[in-house]
Amino acid sequence: MNNNTKILVTGGAGYIGSHCILKLLELGYNNIITIDNFSNSTKDSLQKIEEYTKKEIHNENLDLKDSKGVKEFFSSHTDITTIIHFAALKDPFESINNAQAYYENNVGGLINLLKYSSSIQLSNFIFSSTCALYGEPNKIPVDENHPINPQNPYANSKWICENILKDVAKERNFKAVSLRYFNPIGSNSKAGLKEYYSNRSKNIVPQIIRVIKGEVNALPVYGNDLPTKDGSGVRDFIHVEDLVEAHLRAMEFLNQEHSSLNYDVYNVGRGMGISVLKLINEFESQLDIQIPMNIVRKRKNEVAEIYADSSKINAKLNWRANKNLAQMVEDTLMANDIIY
């Protein structure tokens, strides 16, 4: 791929988007522009990338629901050929009571991106999807042919987006992939990038960090009576840098001359189930502490166990997750200035 090609990264200040921009810059892709309105992110991420790489990042503070703004954006940036779309609302449980907001943001934002990018020579589109659209799996590991059964508006919004992208890519003859993430954690500790959190953060790792730092008294653990080995939920945790690498492999694959597909989907996970209690234990082990926990009732539609069959992306894109749980936790602690 030509390193001068112009790449749009939406949600570039977010957790995964910022790590992706950093990796692109390190590989010599310097013609990058990002869209982020900082509703669920922080400018600190972009500042850390600029400090680390000594390269300036241009961000457009724009809400993708703003049709006029998105139209004007593409009128000003007609040379974009690749879109990597991270921007979205992403809390499955929050979405249950905020369905309209999730559909307006996630589906509406994608529609605006596709509608107004029709004025440019778009070649490739990489979409951030989720394993949540499988629901409670009827078999594990889960492959891409597993029945789709979204259990909340967040997951359903991603499924709707996948179908829209598939149809539009065929209609307009550009290439697109959806990457179905499992559970990214970890950080780029060298650059100081991390998963930023607030008092509203519901992801497990930010909540663990808040307890370790003494910002809250105990870590909520949602259920210890699930039908798993230790009673806690089992997930497929993957290092965010491995996840970013999957995007780069997808981008390179789409740019190959022999790549004739319009659309495809790939699971992105390690293919290994790790329980929530085992994750907590790894933090405790590395810090030689005990993390206080508060066992609470499992949440509605809580999936007991899910992990990926990633053989498709292994074979087609020559991608594999390389970093283990210990590395994920160590990088997280270092990026949060807890160990050095």
Side-chain angles (χ1 to χ4, degrees), residues 136-177:
E136 183 72 54
N138 56 34
K139 62 173 184 175
I140 47 176
V142 175
D143 65 22
E144 292 84 355
N145 294 317
H146 187 283
I148 302 301
N149 186 26
Q151 297 295 301
N152 52 68
Y154 161 72
N156 198 39
S157 75
K158 291 290 189 176
W159 176 232
I160 293 169
C161 286
E162 283 198 16
N163 283 284
I164 291 171
L165 181 58
K166 178 181 179 180
D167 290 342
V168 174
K170 182 177 180 181
E171 174 193 348
R172 286 171 41 193
N173 197 30
F174 63 81
K175 300 174 185 177
V177 297

Short mmCIF file of all heavy atoms in Angstrom, two decimals, residues 136-177:
data_model
loop_
_atom_site.label_atom_id
_atom_site.label_comp_id
_atom_site.label_asym_id
_atom_site.label_seq_id
_atom_site.Cartn_x
_atom_site.Cartn_y
_atom_site.Cartn_z
N GLU A 136 -25.65 -15.22 23.50
CA GLU A 136 -25.18 -16.39 24.24
C GLU A 136 -24.91 -17.50 23.24
O GLU A 136 -25.82 -17.99 22.57
CB GLU A 136 -26.26 -16.84 25.24
CG GLU A 136 -25.84 -18.01 26.11
CD GLU A 136 -24.81 -17.63 27.17
OE1 GLU A 136 -25.05 -16.69 27.93
OE2 GLU A 136 -23.74 -18.30 27.21
N PRO A 137 -23.64 -17.91 23.08
CA PRO A 137 -23.31 -18.86 22.01
C PRO A 137 -23.88 -20.25 22.28
O PRO A 137 -23.97 -20.70 23.42
CB PRO A 137 -21.78 -18.88 22.02
CG PRO A 137 -21.39 -18.44 23.39
CD PRO A 137 -22.45 -17.48 23.84
N ASN A 138 -24.26 -20.93 21.20
CA ASN A 138 -24.71 -22.32 21.34
C ASN A 138 -23.57 -23.30 21.15
O ASN A 138 -23.75 -24.51 21.27
CB ASN A 138 -25.86 -22.62 20.36
CG ASN A 138 -25.52 -22.34 18.91
OD1 ASN A 138 -24.38 -22.52 18.50
ND2 ASN A 138 -26.50 -21.89 18.13
N LYS A 139 -22.38 -22.76 20.82
CA LYS A 139 -21.17 -23.57 20.77
C LYS A 139 -19.98 -22.64 20.93
O LYS A 139 -20.05 -21.46 20.60
CB LYS A 139 -21.06 -24.33 19.44
CG LYS A 139 -20.96 -23.41 18.22
CD LYS A 139 -20.67 -24.17 16.95
CE LYS A 139 -20.47 -23.20 15.78
NZ LYS A 139 -20.07 -23.89 14.54
N ILE A 140 -18.91 -23.15 21.49
CA ILE A 140 -17.67 -22.38 21.59
C ILE A 140 -16.50 -23.30 21.23
O ILE A 140 -16.56 -24.50 21.49
CB ILE A 140 -17.46 -21.77 23.00
CG1 ILE A 140 -17.70 -22.81 24.10
CG2 ILE A 140 -18.31 -20.56 23.21
CD1 ILE A 140 -17.42 -22.29 25.49
N PRO A 141 -15.46 -22.76 20.60
CA PRO A 141 -15.31 -21.36 20.22
C PRO A 141 -16.30 -20.96 19.13
O PRO A 141 -16.82 -21.82 18.41
CB PRO A 141 -13.86 -21.28 19.72
CG PRO A 141 -13.56 -22.67 19.26
CD PRO A 141 -14.29 -23.58 20.19
N VAL A 142 -16.52 -19.65 19.00
CA VAL A 142 -17.50 -19.10 18.08
C VAL A 142 -16.82 -18.74 16.77
O VAL A 142 -15.86 -17.98 16.77
CB VAL A 142 -18.16 -17.85 18.69
CG1 VAL A 142 -19.10 -17.20 17.70
CG2 VAL A 142 -18.90 -18.21 19.97
N ASP A 143 -17.34 -19.25 15.65
CA ASP A 143 -16.81 -18.83 14.36
C ASP A 143 -17.78 -17.87 13.69
O ASP A 143 -18.87 -17.59 14.21
CB ASP A 143 -16.47 -20.03 13.47
CG ASP A 143 -17.69 -20.85 13.05
OD1 ASP A 143 -18.83 -20.31 13.08
OD2 ASP A 143 -17.52 -22.03 12.68
N GLU A 144 -17.40 -17.38 12.53
CA GLU A 144 -18.19 -16.33 11.86
C GLU A 144 -19.53 -16.84 11.33
O GLU A 144 -20.41 -16.03 10.99
CB GLU A 144 -17.38 -15.72 10.70
CG GLU A 144 -16.18 -14.91 11.12
CD GLU A 144 -14.92 -15.71 11.40
OE1 GLU A 144 -15.00 -16.97 11.37
OE2 GLU A 144 -13.87 -15.11 11.65
N ASN A 145 -19.70 -18.15 11.26
CA ASN A 145 -20.96 -18.72 10.79
C ASN A 145 -21.95 -18.99 11.91
O ASN A 145 -23.05 -19.49 11.65
CB ASN A 145 -20.69 -20.01 10.01
CG ASN A 145 -19.91 -19.76 8.74
OD1 ASN A 145 -20.18 -18.81 8.00
ND2 ASN A 145 -18.92 -20.60 8.47
N HIS A 146 -21.56 -18.67 13.13
CA HIS A 146 -22.46 -18.87 14.26
C HIS A 146 -23.71 -18.00 14.07
O HIS A 146 -23.63 -16.87 13.57
CB HIS A 146 -21.75 -18.48 15.57
CG HIS A 146 -22.53 -18.80 16.81
ND1 HIS A 146 -23.60 -18.03 17.24
CD2 HIS A 146 -22.39 -19.80 17.72
CE1 HIS A 146 -24.08 -18.55 18.35
NE2 HIS A 146 -23.37 -19.62 18.66
N PRO A 147 -24.90 -18.49 14.44
CA PRO A 147 -26.11 -17.68 14.32
C PRO A 147 -25.98 -16.33 15.04
O PRO A 147 -25.34 -16.23 16.09
CB PRO A 147 -27.18 -18.54 14.99
CG PRO A 147 -26.68 -19.95 14.86
CD PRO A 147 -25.19 -19.84 14.96
N ILE A 148 -26.56 -15.31 14.42
CA ILE A 148 -26.55 -13.96 15.00
C ILE A 148 -27.75 -13.81 15.93
O ILE A 148 -28.88 -14.12 15.55
CB ILE A 148 -26.61 -12.90 13.88
CG1 ILE A 148 -25.41 -13.07 12.92
CG2 ILE A 148 -26.64 -11.50 14.47
CD1 ILE A 148 -24.06 -12.95 13.57
N ASN A 149 -27.48 -13.35 17.15
CA ASN A 149 -28.56 -13.24 18.15
C ASN A 149 -28.28 -12.08 19.11
O ASN A 149 -27.99 -12.28 20.28
CB ASN A 149 -28.70 -14.55 18.92
CG ASN A 149 -29.89 -14.54 19.86
OD1 ASN A 149 -30.86 -13.82 19.65
ND2 ASN A 149 -29.81 -15.33 20.91
N PRO A 150 -28.33 -10.83 18.62
CA PRO A 150 -28.01 -9.69 19.48
C PRO A 150 -28.96 -9.61 20.68
O PRO A 150 -30.17 -9.75 20.53
CB PRO A 150 -28.21 -8.48 18.55
CG PRO A 150 -28.18 -9.03 17.16
CD PRO A 150 -28.74 -10.41 17.26
N GLN A 151 -28.40 -9.33 21.86
CA GLN A 151 -29.18 -9.30 23.08
C GLN A 151 -29.43 -7.88 23.60
O GLN A 151 -30.03 -7.71 24.65
CB GLN A 151 -28.48 -10.11 24.16
CG GLN A 151 -28.34 -11.58 23.82
CD GLN A 151 -29.69 -12.28 23.75
OE1 GLN A 151 -30.45 -12.31 24.71
NE2 GLN A 151 -30.01 -12.83 22.57
N ASN A 152 -28.95 -6.87 22.87
CA ASN A 152 -29.12 -5.49 23.33
C ASN A 152 -29.00 -4.56 22.12
O ASN A 152 -28.50 -4.97 21.06
CB ASN A 152 -28.08 -5.14 24.40
CG ASN A 152 -26.67 -5.46 23.95
OD1 ASN A 152 -26.13 -4.83 23.05
ND2 ASN A 152 -26.06 -6.48 24.58
N PRO A 153 -29.45 -3.32 22.25
CA PRO A 153 -29.40 -2.38 21.12
C PRO A 153 -28.00 -2.12 20.59
O PRO A 153 -27.82 -1.91 19.39
CB PRO A 153 -30.04 -1.11 21.69
CG PRO A 153 -30.98 -1.61 22.74
CD PRO A 153 -30.26 -2.78 23.37
N TYR A 154 -27.00 -2.11 21.48
CA TYR A 154 -25.63 -1.92 21.01
C TYR A 154 -25.26 -2.99 20.01
O TYR A 154 -24.81 -2.71 18.88
CB TYR A 154 -24.65 -1.95 22.19
CG TYR A 154 -23.23 -2.22 21.76
CD1 TYR A 154 -22.49 -1.24 21.09
CD2 TYR A 154 -22.61 -3.44 22.02
CE1 TYR A 154 -21.19 -1.49 20.67
CE2 TYR A 154 -21.31 -3.70 21.61
CZ TYR A 154 -20.60 -2.71 20.94
OH TYR A 154 -19.33 -2.97 20.52
N ALA A 155 -25.42 -4.26 20.38
CA ALA A 155 -25.06 -5.36 19.49
C ALA A 155 -25.90 -5.32 18.22
O ALA A 155 -25.38 -5.54 17.12
CB ALA A 155 -25.24 -6.69 20.22
N ASN A 156 -27.18 -5.02 18.38
CA ASN A 156 -28.04 -4.98 17.20
C ASN A 156 -27.65 -3.84 16.26
O ASN A 156 -27.72 -3.98 15.03
CB ASN A 156 -29.50 -4.84 17.62
CG ASN A 156 -30.46 -5.23 16.51
OD1 ASN A 156 -30.23 -6.19 15.78
ND2 ASN A 156 -31.54 -4.49 16.37
N SER A 157 -27.23 -2.71 16.83
CA SER A 157 -26.79 -1.59 15.99
C SER A 157 -25.58 -1.99 15.15
O SER A 157 -25.47 -1.61 13.97
CB SER A 157 -26.47 -0.35 16.83
OG SER A 157 -25.24 -0.47 17.53
N LYS A 158 -24.69 -2.78 15.71
CA LYS A 158 -23.51 -3.23 14.96
C LYS A 158 -23.91 -4.22 13.86
O LYS A 158 -23.34 -4.20 12.76
CB LYS A 158 -22.50 -3.88 15.92
CG LYS A 158 -21.82 -2.90 16.86
CD LYS A 158 -20.87 -1.97 16.12
CE LYS A 158 -20.03 -1.14 17.06
NZ LYS A 158 -19.05 -0.30 16.37
N TRP A 159 -24.88 -5.07 14.15
CA TRP A 159 -25.35 -6.01 13.15
C TRP A 159 -26.02 -5.28 11.99
O TRP A 159 -25.80 -5.59 10.82
CB TRP A 159 -26.30 -7.01 13.79
CG TRP A 159 -26.95 -8.00 12.88
CD1 TRP A 159 -28.29 -8.28 12.78
CD2 TRP A 159 -26.31 -8.89 11.94
NE1 TRP A 159 -28.52 -9.26 11.86
CE2 TRP A 159 -27.33 -9.66 11.32
CE3 TRP A 159 -24.98 -9.10 11.57
CZ2 TRP A 159 -27.05 -10.62 10.34
CZ3 TRP A 159 -24.70 -10.06 10.59
CH2 TRP A 159 -25.71 -10.80 9.99
N ILE A 160 -26.83 -4.27 12.31
CA ILE A 160 -27.45 -3.45 11.26
C ILE A 160 -26.37 -2.77 10.43
O ILE A 160 -26.43 -2.75 9.19
CB ILE A 160 -28.40 -2.42 11.89
CG1 ILE A 160 -29.61 -3.11 12.53
CG2 ILE A 160 -28.87 -1.40 10.85
CD1 ILE A 160 -30.46 -2.20 13.39
N CYS A 161 -25.36 -2.24 11.10
CA CYS A 161 -24.26 -1.56 10.38
C CYS A 161 -23.53 -2.52 9.45
O CYS A 161 -23.18 -2.16 8.32
CB CYS A 161 -23.29 -0.95 11.38
SG CYS A 161 -23.88 0.55 12.20
N GLU A 162 -23.27 -3.74 9.92
CA GLU A 162 -22.61 -4.72 9.05
C GLU A 162 -23.40 -4.93 7.76
O GLU A 162 -22.83 -4.98 6.67
CB GLU A 162 -22.45 -6.06 9.79
CG GLU A 162 -21.32 -6.09 10.80
CD GLU A 162 -20.94 -7.51 11.17
OE1 GLU A 162 -21.33 -8.45 10.43
OE2 GLU A 162 -20.25 -7.70 12.19
N ASN A 163 -24.70 -5.06 7.88
CA ASN A 163 -25.54 -5.32 6.71
C ASN A 163 -25.59 -4.11 5.77
O ASN A 163 -25.56 -4.27 4.55
CB ASN A 163 -26.93 -5.74 7.14
CG ASN A 163 -26.98 -7.18 7.62
OD1 ASN A 163 -26.95 -8.11 6.82
ND2 ASN A 163 -27.03 -7.37 8.92
N ILE A 164 -25.66 -2.92 6.35
CA ILE A 164 -25.64 -1.70 5.52
C ILE A 164 -24.32 -1.62 4.76
O ILE A 164 -24.29 -1.37 3.55
CB ILE A 164 -25.83 -0.46 6.40
CG1 ILE A 164 -27.25 -0.41 6.96
CG2 ILE A 164 -25.53 0.82 5.61
CD1 ILE A 164 -27.46 0.67 8.02
N LEU A 165 -23.21 -1.85 5.46
CA LEU A 165 -21.89 -1.75 4.84
C LEU A 165 -21.75 -2.79 3.72
O LEU A 165 -21.23 -2.48 2.63
CB LEU A 165 -20.81 -1.94 5.89
CG LEU A 165 -19.36 -1.84 5.41
CD1 LEU A 165 -19.08 -0.50 4.76
CD2 LEU A 165 -18.40 -2.08 6.59
N LYS A 166 -22.21 -4.00 3.98
CA LYS A 166 -22.13 -5.05 2.97
C LYS A 166 -22.87 -4.65 1.69
O LYS A 166 -22.33 -4.79 0.58
CB LYS A 166 -22.72 -6.34 3.53
CG LYS A 166 -22.75 -7.51 2.55
CD LYS A 166 -23.39 -8.73 3.20
CE LYS A 166 -23.45 -9.90 2.24
NZ LYS A 166 -24.08 -11.09 2.88
N ASP A 167 -24.08 -4.13 1.85
CA ASP A 167 -24.89 -3.76 0.68
C ASP A 167 -24.30 -2.57 -0.08
O ASP A 167 -24.27 -2.56 -1.32
CB ASP A 167 -26.32 -3.44 1.11
CG ASP A 167 -27.09 -4.67 1.57
OD1 ASP A 167 -26.66 -5.79 1.25
OD2 ASP A 167 -28.11 -4.51 2.28
N VAL A 168 -23.82 -1.56 0.67
CA VAL A 168 -23.30 -0.36 0.02
C VAL A 168 -21.97 -0.65 -0.66
O VAL A 168 -21.69 -0.13 -1.75
CB VAL A 168 -23.19 0.80 1.02
CG1 VAL A 168 -22.52 2.01 0.38
CG2 VAL A 168 -24.56 1.18 1.55
N ALA A 169 -21.14 -1.48 -0.05
CA ALA A 169 -19.85 -1.84 -0.68
C ALA A 169 -20.09 -2.52 -2.02
O ALA A 169 -19.39 -2.25 -3.01
CB ALA A 169 -19.05 -2.74 0.25
N LYS A 170 -21.10 -3.40 -2.07
CA LYS A 170 -21.42 -4.08 -3.32
C LYS A 170 -21.96 -3.09 -4.35
O LYS A 170 -21.57 -3.10 -5.52
CB LYS A 170 -22.44 -5.18 -3.07
CG LYS A 170 -22.81 -5.98 -4.30
CD LYS A 170 -23.78 -7.11 -3.96
CE LYS A 170 -24.14 -7.92 -5.20
NZ LYS A 170 -25.10 -9.01 -4.88
N GLU A 171 -22.85 -2.20 -3.89
CA GLU A 171 -23.46 -1.22 -4.79
C GLU A 171 -22.41 -0.28 -5.39
O GLU A 171 -22.44 0.01 -6.59
CB GLU A 171 -24.49 -0.40 -4.02
CG GLU A 171 -25.11 0.76 -4.79
CD GLU A 171 -25.88 1.70 -3.89
OE1 GLU A 171 -26.13 1.35 -2.71
OE2 GLU A 171 -26.22 2.80 -4.34
N ARG A 172 -21.47 0.18 -4.56
CA ARG A 172 -20.50 1.18 -5.01
C ARG A 172 -19.16 0.57 -5.42
O ARG A 172 -18.24 1.28 -5.82
CB ARG A 172 -20.30 2.24 -3.92
CG ARG A 172 -21.50 3.18 -3.84
CD ARG A 172 -21.48 4.11 -2.66
NE ARG A 172 -20.19 4.69 -2.33
CZ ARG A 172 -19.95 5.32 -1.18
NH1 ARG A 172 -20.91 5.44 -0.27
NH2 ARG A 172 -18.77 5.83 -0.95
N ASN A 173 -19.04 -0.73 -5.23
CA ASN A 173 -17.85 -1.45 -5.67
C ASN A 173 -16.57 -0.98 -4.97
O ASN A 173 -15.54 -0.77 -5.61
CB ASN A 173 -17.67 -1.38 -7.18
CG ASN A 173 -16.70 -2.44 -7.69
OD1 ASN A 173 -16.60 -3.51 -7.10
ND2 ASN A 173 -15.98 -2.12 -8.75
N PHE A 174 -16.67 -0.78 -3.64
CA PHE A 174 -15.44 -0.64 -2.86
C PHE A 174 -15.32 -1.87 -1.96
O PHE A 174 -16.24 -2.68 -1.85
CB PHE A 174 -15.40 0.67 -2.06
CG PHE A 174 -16.48 0.82 -1.01
CD1 PHE A 174 -16.36 0.22 0.24
CD2 PHE A 174 -17.60 1.61 -1.26
CE1 PHE A 174 -17.33 0.37 1.21
CE2 PHE A 174 -18.58 1.78 -0.29
CZ PHE A 174 -18.45 1.16 0.95
N LYS A 175 -14.17 -2.04 -1.33
CA LYS A 175 -13.90 -3.22 -0.52
C LYS A 175 -14.06 -2.89 0.96
O LYS A 175 -13.63 -1.83 1.41
CB LYS A 175 -12.49 -3.74 -0.79
CG LYS A 175 -12.26 -4.14 -2.25
CD LYS A 175 -10.80 -4.50 -2.49
CE LYS A 175 -10.55 -4.78 -3.96
NZ LYS A 175 -9.12 -5.08 -4.23
N ALA A 176 -14.68 -3.80 1.69
CA ALA A 176 -14.95 -3.55 3.10
C ALA A 176 -14.85 -4.83 3.91
O ALA A 176 -15.14 -5.92 3.41
CB ALA A 176 -16.34 -2.94 3.27
N VAL A 177 -14.42 -4.69 5.16
CA VAL A 177 -14.44 -5.80 6.11
C VAL A 177 -14.99 -5.31 7.43
O VAL A 177 -14.84 -4.14 7.80
CB VAL A 177 -13.04 -6.42 6.34
CG1 VAL A 177 -12.48 -7.02 5.08
CG2 VAL A 177 -12.08 -5.39 6.92
#
